[in-house]
Amino acid sequence: MDQFKGQPRLPKFAVPKRYDLRLNPDLVACTFAGTVAIDLDIVADTRFIVLNAADLSVNDASVSFTPRASSKALAAPKVSLFEDDEILVLEFSEILPHGVGVLELGFNGTLNDKMKGFYRSSYEHNGEKKNMAVTQFEPADARRCFPCWDEPACKATFKITLEVPTELVALSNMPVVEEKVNGNLKIVSYQESPIMSTYLVAFVVGLFDYVEDLTSDGIKVRVYCQVGKADQGKFSLHVGAKTLDLFKEYFAVPYPLPKMDMIAIPDFAAGAMENYGLVTYRETALLYDEQHSAASNKQRVATVVAHELAHQWFGNLVTMEWWTHLWLNEGFATWVSYLATDSLFPEWKIWTQFLDESTEGLRLDGLEESHPIEVEVNHAAEIDEIFDAISYRKGASVIRMLQSYLGAEVFQKSLATYIKNHAYSNAKTEDLWSALEGGSGEPVNKLMSSWTKQMGYPVVSAKIKDGKLELEQSRFLSSGSPGEGQWIVPVTLCCGSYDNRKNFLLESKSGAYDLKELLGCSIAGGSGTNNATCSWIKINVDQAGFYRVKYDDSLAVGLRNATESQSLTPIDRFGILDDSFALSMARQQSLASLLTLTSAYKKELDYTVLSNLIAISYKVVKIAADANLELMSAIKQFFIGVFQFAAGKLGWDPKQGESHLDAMLRGEVLTALAVFGHDETLKEAIRRFNAFVADRNTSLLPPDLRRAAYVAVMQRANKSDKSGYESLLRVYRETDLSQEKTRILGSLASCPDPVIVQDVLNFVLSDEVRNQDALYGLSGVSWEGREVAWKWLQEKWEYIGETWGSGFLITRFISAVVSPFASFEKAKEVEEFFATRSKPSMARTLKQSIERVHINANWVESIKKEDHLTQLVAKLSQN
């Protein structure tokens, strides 16, 4: 039997075709019993059947295999479960006959509290605490519910039967075909599913309300939620029904199932899960409350619903062959969710906001400890860590880059062909490339391999010399180290106006282009002759390419002026700022040049651009604090000045008929002013918060302003005056809206008093905070609270490991607490602590977090060497 241990994949001598699964969950004892009959095709000589199972006890006497030809049941004298490999090995006394037979097994398990496999989630009904039973099988946890071939390529059909208490709602992927009541239990049978992977099987048992609608071709769509919250499902229901219609057109294939249920689960590790026909969500990603949800919550619901429904085609109908190709599922669903959201809510300018996805991808992929989009996966434990910004965000960004290169129409037609060709089966990255190659006539495989098979991305350096534009590519690393690699880079550039535009591929390390030939102009300030001059050149127009651009000084001045005069689109203003920040962090450019560029954004009002500038300002202030406290204080004043214009324009109170984006921006700008200690903002925020504490329905604190007010309250809280902090905890305890709870949790640790931060972190581990939400409490730890958070992580590590260690959430604890540090001593301390405590499932995150500490430490050292920074900042503040 040992030959099967330590293998990344199951042996291929038996192929599952159909599962007949019966389960009986006990929601009081938190256990379940089950039987499964699996139609198997034996395709090679074997005495063994090897399948996946974990955390189950299999009843040895129940195991039998009955070949269809002889109909004589064969017992398995030896049944062994290897927990480390998560496999069940059945040894028979004779070689099994080729052809189809039925494998039967009985088993028992626990409804665990780890938010994976078949687990329990708690809720209150009429003041009484109850359990619901829920599944989360992706990536490799169906095996914790029933023995199965738990690999995406092992597709089969599923006939599911559940035995549950009569008063409960029991849902699965398919509609109910029969319910038989047996005393206080009912036996619920579901229609047999089409062929699908095990990770998409789902069932949920509990008490729920629902709202329902129909798509244009009569598919029933329902949103289920806790009793009494049905109204909060109306917005996602609208988005769901419209999105299914939209994708049917876009993919040119109808939605393949007879119904679509979407359900909000109180305890849920990820954001949502695209189970075929029964999509599960965190409450914050599905429910929207007209009175208490913010505009950003509404947008989150729309994009998550669109993402999960895209998977019904891209992932569920056509499934990746193995986890190496996970990015096909996630990158694609991320990209297309923007397409759908843009179609439903054009006023949200969501494609500009897509830049946030690209930036997160670029940020992670700028690390030496990144990984290629296509990553080798050799053990189930490694899969969780690749559900990251590379698979989702870099994946989505390279798809956007390719679509922009090939053109929208060709891209869409080729996708429809890909889905038709691979429906009900599996595909690899190359299959998508060949469909796009066939549709476009372009060498897509060659173009894209450099982006998916090697990690990282290039920075393209641009300079003007003798009337020529010289471009050179090299791998960009946030550490500032030189990197290896070469890419086929789709270069787009504009000169002086968006009408004067050129596209070409940079396939070699460098290239020189005659500006006059290329664009019919020379650059102002360059050494061209007296022909038409243009004042700026922007490379990577619309940020469509997944790379950064470094401009020489004369080009940078032109772009700074074009930014200030708003001659550039918001997308390009965003790109110039983001590249400058990244280059400054990598010490390829001074902090002085970044701050000088930033002063060109004083009149900025675009949501996405300002939102990114705010995110950058937080990082710059923290890094400056590590270099020199006087500098930090000057930079805070500078940023307060930069954000004054937007704050003045937006004011505190929502305006009649204002845009969704202004509603989101107001909250972010006021939060930034509060964090930087702007006195007027703090006073007004606290005044409005006190009115809200007195009356939760006051118009003084609409949902879009609440985070700003909560952060302001925490800026003023300290160990000798905890009143604001205590009021905020009271609001937390009294609300039953998840979005409100997470909004509060995300504000608490922003307090500059370490004593309060310590208190907040202990609160986060109390039973008042659901395990899924603990990380919100770590997300905004103040600069002053870092050390307390690190000590707390070490003290509580054993408990954290027991509670979150089996899922991906534990990696978030490490990155949240470790990454903000900026000293080599701290990096060493972290390495020493984890030397004996790391596990394979957190190794990548730990290395990435320590690398970030080194990057920060080097940046601090370089800032200390910049002369006259404080004076420069004072001068910029006055202008």
Side-chain angles (χ1 to χ4, degrees):
M1 283 189 167
D2 285 355
Q3 62 178 312
F4 303 116
K5 290 161 81 172
Q7 302 297 320
R9 312 264 301 247
L10 293 170
K12 304 249 190 297
F13 37 60
V15 181
K17 296 294 182 189
R18 176 182 189 267
Y19 292 79
D20 189 338
L21 174 64
R22 298 180 71 91
L23 286 169
N24 178 353
D26 181 332
L27 275 71
V28 178
C30 295
T31 57
F32 63 90
T35 60
V36 66
I38 308 171
D39 291 5
L40 277 187
D41 192 1
I42 306 294
V43 294
D45 289 351
T46 180
R47 281 192 305 117
F48 298 95
I49 291 177
V50 184
L51 64 165
N52 293 112
D55 304 339
L56 294 173
S57 57
V58 174
N59 171 1
D60 295 7
S62 71
V63 177
S64 70
F65 180 72
T66 310
R68 197 163 282 167
S70 71
S71 66
K72 175 174 155 290
L74 308 172
K78 238 176 138 181
V79 175
S80 299
L81 188 61
F82 295 109
E83 278 295 350
D84 282 356
D85 293 284
E86 303 185 343
I87 56 171
L88 178 66
V89 181
L90 315 174
E91 185 175 351
F92 294 85
S93 29
E94 56 192 270
I95 286 184
L96 302 174
H98 286 218
V100 179
V102 178
L103 173 67
E104 295 190 59
L105 304 126
F107 53 90
N108 294 78
T110 304
L111 288 173
N112 69 70
D113 60 355
K114 304 288 185 226
M115 297 185 280
K116 62 193 249 184
F118 198 12
Y119 73 90
R120 63 182 186 267
S121 171
S122 65
Y123 62 104
E124 273 194 12
H125 183 246
N126 296 338
E128 189 188 345
K129 193 174 172 188
K130 292 182 175 294
N131 288 320
M132 61 176 78
V134 188
T135 55
Q136 169 60 39
F137 290 164
E138 190 182 27
D141 295 314
R143 62 191 68 178
R144 288 170 213 286
C145 177
F146 59 100
C148 57
W149 275 256
D150 201 9
E151 295 182 1
C154 299
K155 287 188 162 185
T157 61
F158 292 82
K159 178 86 187 86
I160 291 170
T161 307
L162 299 177
E163 190 171 333
V164 298
T166 42
E167 74 279 7
L168 299 183
V169 173
L171 303 171
S172 183
N173 307 82
M174 300 297 287
V176 175
V177 282
E178 188 185 30
E179 270 192 25
K180 281 188 198 153
V181 175
N182 179 8
N184 57 2
L185 291 174
K186 61 182 174 184
I187 296 166
V188 187
S189 309
Y190 302 89
Q191 207 173 310
E192 188 162 333
S193 77
I195 180 171
M196 65 193 244
S197 303
T198 47
Y199 78 86
L200 295 166
V201 173
F203 13 91
V204 180
V205 180
L207 279 175
F208 301 100
D209 278 347
Y210 68 85
V211 284
E212 83 173 27
D213 198 359
L214 296 173
T215 64
S216 61
D217 46 4
I219 305 275
K220 190 178 284 180
V221 184
R222 284 183 176 176
V223 172
Y224 284 87
C225 50
Q226 286 187 57
V227 175
K229 291 189 176 182
D231 275 355
Q232 296 176 26
K234 285 177 176 169
F235 176 66
S236 52
L237 179 68
H238 163 75
V239 172
K242 288 276 179 279
T243 303
L244 285 177
D245 284 340
L246 195 131
F247 287 151
K248 180 187 83 171
E249 295 301 313
Y250 189 78
F251 296 125
V253 172
Y255 171 65
L257 300 187
K259 59 98 177 169
M260 166 50 72
D261 292 333
M262 306 196 289
I263 184 163
I265 307 295
D267 300 281
F268 197 80
M273 174 61 212
E274 69 265 22
N275 314 300
Y276 225 174
L278 176 57
V279 181
T280 45
Y281 294 81
R282 265 186 190 230
E283 291 193 332
T284 50
L286 189 69
L287 304 183
Y288 176 75
D289 178 314
E290 286 292 342
Q291 196 186 350
H292 294 291
S293 296
S296 55
N297 299 130
K298 189 175 198 173
Q299 188 174 299
R300 166 96 179 131
V301 169
T303 51
V304 177
V305 168
H307 179 107
E308 302 311 324
L309 297 189
H311 276 309
Q312 307 302 308
W313 286 263
F314 229 92
N316 302 7
L317 182 61
V318 180
T319 310
M320 70 222 148
E321 194 277 331
W322 180 239
W323 299 104
T324 296
H325 306 281
L326 170 72
W327 86 278
L328 273 181
N329 272 16
E330 298 304 349
F332 194 85
T334 302
W335 175 80
V336 86
S337 70
Y338 279 76
L339 192 92
T341 307
D342 186 51
S343 172
L344 295 178
F345 305 102
E347 69 281 8
W348 291 1
K349 300 190 179 133
I350 203 85
W351 279 117
T352 307
Q353 295 188 60
F354 181 84
L355 295 171
D356 296 336
E357 303 282 351
S358 306
T359 296
E360 281 302 304
L362 290 164
R363 228 183 124 239
L364 179 53
D365 209 25
L367 298 182
E368 293 178 44
E369 292 292 347
S370 180
H371 63 85
I373 281 181
E374 294 182 62
V375 62
E376 281 306 310
V377 172
N378 295 312
H379 190 280
E382 296 169 16
I383 304 169
D384 266 336
E385 272 202 311
I386 59 169
F387 281 80
D388 63 5
I390 302 294
S391 299
Y392 284 71
R393 292 169 161 162
K394 181 179 181 180
S397 302
V398 300
I399 285 169
R400 176 173 174 253
M401 174 165 77
L402 183 61
Q403 189 235 20
S404 141
Y405 179 74
L406 297 177
E409 201 177 319
V410 165
F411 192 78
Q412 182 180 351
K413 283 190 173 137
S414 311
L415 276 183
T417 306
Y418 166 82
I419 285 178
K420 281 198 180 72
N421 290 348
H422 298 280
Y424 301 105
S425 70
N426 297 78
K428 296 181 172 173
T429 302
E430 287 70 24
D431 298 318
L432 178 60
W433 295 163
S434 70
L436 289 162
E437 211 156 277
S440 68
E442 294 279 350
V444 175
N445 199 3
K446 180 184 159 203
L447 283 176
M448 295 310 289
S449 290
S450 69
W451 296 96
T452 63
K453 291 194 186 304
Q454 68 178 340
M455 64 177 165
Y457 57 86
V459 53
V460 174
S461 299
K463 62 172 188 259
I464 301 288
K465 198 174 168 193
D466 303 331
K468 282 193 163 60
L469 173 66
E470 294 186 357
L471 301 180
E472 186 179 350
Q473 62 159 306
S474 58
R475 181 175 173 195
F476 176 82
L477 286 168
S478 297
S479 62
S481 311
E484 294 293 306
Q486 194 171 314
W487 289 261
I488 298 179
V489 185
V491 175
T492 47
L493 56 95
C494 283
C495 185
S497 122
Y498 285 98
D499 300 331
N500 197 0
R501 181 173 178 154
K502 272 286 178 288
N503 306 345
F504 54 90
L505 293 175
L506 175 64
E507 298 192 48
S508 52
K509 210 67 179 145
S510 61
Y513 308 88
D514 188 302
L515 274 179
K516 196 162 183 231
E517 281 174 29
L518 194 65
L519 293 158
C521 70
S522 68
I523 184 86
S527 51
T529 46
N530 57 358
N531 52 312
T533 59
C534 67
S535 50
W536 54 266
I537 288 184
K538 171 69 176 64
I539 297 168
N540 195 15
V541 181
D542 291 340
Q543 298 303 108
F546 191 76
Y547 58 92
R548 296 202 181 279
V549 183
K550 182 185 179 184
Y551 298 95
D552 73 3
D553 290 347
S554 66
L555 289 171
V557 169
L559 285 169
R560 189 169 72 239
N561 295 337
T563 297
E564 200 157 13
S565 63
Q566 303 226 334
S567 311
L568 301 174
T569 60
I571 294 186
D572 284 330
R573 298 200 298 275
F574 178 106
I576 290 162
L577 175 67
D578 203 61
D579 286 351
S580 180
F581 170 64
L583 289 161
S584 180
M585 183 191 281
R587 311 188 318 285
Q588 306 287 309
Q589 209 174 287
S590 65
L591 179 60
S593 67
L594 171 64
L595 293 171
T596 308
L597 172 67
T598 303
S599 65
Y601 290 81
K602 285 185 173 170
K603 295 279 168 72
E604 186 59 68
L605 286 172
D606 180 85
Y607 168 74
T608 311
V609 180
L610 254 184
S611 174
N612 191 38
L613 179 54
I614 290 167
I616 288 170
S617 72
Y618 291 147
K619 289 174 193 156
V620 168
V621 164
K622 284 179 177 173
I623 279 293
D626 280 307
N628 169 341
L629 288 172
E630 187 194 352
L631 174 64
M632 173 198 73
S633 153
I635 289 180
K636 275 187 179 175
Q637 290 313 308
F638 165 68
F639 280 122
I640 286 173
V642 172
F643 302 138
Q644 279 303 317
F645 178 75
K649 277 273 191 230
L650 293 161
W652 277 88
D653 295 301
K655 298 177 179 52
Q656 193 61 44
E658 73 178 2
S659 75
H660 162 88
L661 294 168
D662 280 353
M664 295 207 301
L665 183 56
R666 177 180 295 108
E668 288 198 29
V669 168
L670 292 170
T671 303
L673 290 172
V675 168
F676 295 149
H678 184 242
D679 203 50
E680 253 171 84
T681 303
L682 288 168
K683 281 184 184 143
E684 181 61 12
I686 291 167
R687 179 182 83 81
R688 287 169 181 258
F689 174 72
N690 291 335
F692 175 67
V693 171
D695 169 17
R696 296 302 147 78
N697 297 316
T698 176
S699 61
L700 283 174
L701 201 65
D704 296 305
L705 284 185
R706 284 184 203 162
R707 184 158 192 276
Y710 300 163
V711 167
V713 165
M714 293 313 296
Q715 297 314 296
R716 288 280 162 95
N718 57 62
K719 62 177 182 286
S720 49
D721 178 8
K722 290 184 170 181
S723 57
Y725 169 45
E726 281 159 359
S727 298
L728 198 44
L729 287 179
R730 195 161 77 245
V731 178
Y732 177 89
R733 289 174 177 130
E734 287 171 10
T735 182
D736 71 339
L737 185 69
S738 287
Q739 288 164 348
E740 191 69 88
K741 283 193 187 296
T742 56
R743 210 172 8 239
I744 295 168
L745 283 173
S747 311
L748 293 174
S750 70
C751 181
D753 185 337
V755 176
I756 303 275
V757 173
Q758 176 76 53
D759 199 68
V760 168
L761 295 171
N762 292 335
F763 172 71
V764 157
L765 294 188
S766 73
D767 54 13
E768 288 194 70
V769 178
R770 290 185 186 265
N771 289 348
Q772 65 166 15
D773 292 333
L775 283 149
Y776 288 101
L778 291 177
S779 64
V781 175
S782 60
W783 181 77
E784 298 84 350
R786 288 182 308 187
E787 198 51 58
V788 162
W790 167 235
K791 284 206 171 68
W792 168 86
L793 186 75
Q794 295 171 86
E795 280 163 21
K796 307 286 185 188
W797 183 252
E798 207 166 309
Y799 173 75
I800 290 168
E802 280 163 24
T803 312
W804 288 274
S806 62
F808 66 89
L809 288 174
I810 192 156
T811 62
R812 310 285 164 88
F813 279 86
I814 296 171
S815 55
V817 173
V818 172
S819 302
F821 282 109
S823 78
F824 300 110
E825 300 74 40
K826 191 57 69 183
K828 202 165 172 353
E829 200 182 304
V830 171
E831 274 175 331
E832 282 164 7
F833 177 77
F834 282 108
T836 53
R837 295 174 176 87
S838 186
K839 286 164 49 184
S841 60
M842 56 179 90
R844 194 189 294 273
T845 304
L846 184 60
K847 284 179 179 162
Q848 288 169 347
S849 301
I850 291 168
E851 185 183 345
R852 288 198 200 280
V853 178
H854 283 157
I855 290 165
N856 290 342
N858 279 320
W859 195 13
V860 168
E861 292 307 310
S862 103
I863 290 170
K864 284 179 179 170
K865 295 189 188 112
E866 282 193 47
D867 292 333
H868 314 304
L869 250 183
T870 309
Q871 294 91 308
L872 170 81
V873 174
K875 193 170 135 206
L876 290 172
S877 298
Q878 283 157 11
N879 290 349

